[in-house]
Amino acid sequence: MLVVMGVRADGTKELITLADGYRQSTEAWAGLLRDCARRGMRVPVLAVGDGALGFKMLGSQNRTCSRFLPKSAQPAAKRAIQDIYNAENKEQARKAVAIFAKQYNAKYPKAVKQIVDDEDELLAFYDFPAVHWIHLRTTNPIESTFATVRLRTKVTKGAGSRAAGLAMVSRVSSQPRPAGAL
């Protein structure tokens, strides 16, 4: 499933669109975004994703970065990456990137490259109001949708059909969430 959720200037989250498709397919994402544009969606100010199609975000960099680290180094590296995206401001985040690079570059340069090369994109959410950072630095709203769907389809041994799968994701994605919940 391809899911596009929006966050308005006032912090309101809403489901923009969803479609079935392969998440790594450039054609599937391009078609979905063209359809959104045809229906009147303006170009977003910021796009955050799970790594598909060049959408980059620190959480997915954490998973990408860990490919270049031995299992024994991953817990500490994960904490160091969390220090980056949980920093009080962009300046502190840049300092945390420098600390990460200094700490890991000698032994794990490929892991450091994942963070340092994309630093500006990874820290772009700091250019927005702090109240929105929690929504912009995570794909949890989308992932939580799929967690519910995975739970339901595990019990039923699949969605049954393409239409049933789309209906299930649509229903779960559009359900109201309590204030403050992702």
Side-chain angles (χ1 to χ4, degrees):
M1 297 297 297
L2 306 176
V3 178
V4 176
M5 295 187 75
V7 179
R8 295 183 175 275
D10 68 358
T12 306
K13 294 179 294 280
E14 64 181 76
L15 176 67
I16 304 296
T17 190
L18 59 91
D20 57 341
Y22 185 62
R23 75 180 189 100
Q24 299 297 336
S25 165
T26 302
E27 291 121 28
W29 276 108
L32 183 71
L33 295 173
R34 278 192 298 271
D35 181 57
C36 288
R38 270 193 304 272
R39 292 186 290 122
M41 186 177 95
R42 294 184 309 231
V43 176
V45 177
L46 178 69
V48 177
D50 65 355
L53 266 190
F55 289 149
K56 295 183 180 170
M57 117 175 186
L58 200 50
S60 66
Q61 286 304 95
N62 187 14
R63 290 186 292 271
T64 302
C65 181
S66 68
R67 291 183 315 163
F68 301 106
L69 295 165
K71 289 225 185 269
S72 61
Q74 289 179 12
K78 182 177 181 179
R79 284 190 299 276
I81 290 170
Q82 287 171 341
D83 288 345
I84 296 168
Y85 70 84
N86 287 327
E88 290 294 316
N89 55 49
K90 197 174 205 175
E91 181 183 329
Q92 293 298 317
R94 289 198 187 281
K95 288 179 183 176
V97 169
I99 291 168
F100 177 84
K102 184 177 180 182
Q103 186 175 0
Y104 290 95
N105 198 47
K107 288 177 113 178
Y108 313 110
K110 289 181 180 178
V112 170
K113 183 174 172 42
Q114 296 294 305
I115 301 296
V116 173
D117 284 1
D118 294 329
E119 182 176 343
D120 289 338
E121 290 87 359
L122 297 173
L123 303 182
F125 70 89
Y126 282 104
D127 296 334
F128 294 84
V131 71
H132 299 302
W133 293 353
I134 189 71
H135 306 301
L136 298 175
R137 63 182 168 203
T138 181
T139 56
N140 282 347
I142 294 171
E143 291 170 6
S144 63
T145 296
F146 287 108
T148 303
V149 170
R150 277 192 295 274
L151 205 69
R152 291 178 184 188
T153 56
K154 185 177 181 180
V155 171
T156 60
K157 306 284 191 249
S161 69
R162 176 184 173 272
L166 282 168
M168 187 183 316
V169 172
S170 176
R171 173 95 170 121
V172 171
S173 299
S174 61
Q175 288 177 350
R177 291 182 172 85
L182 293 177

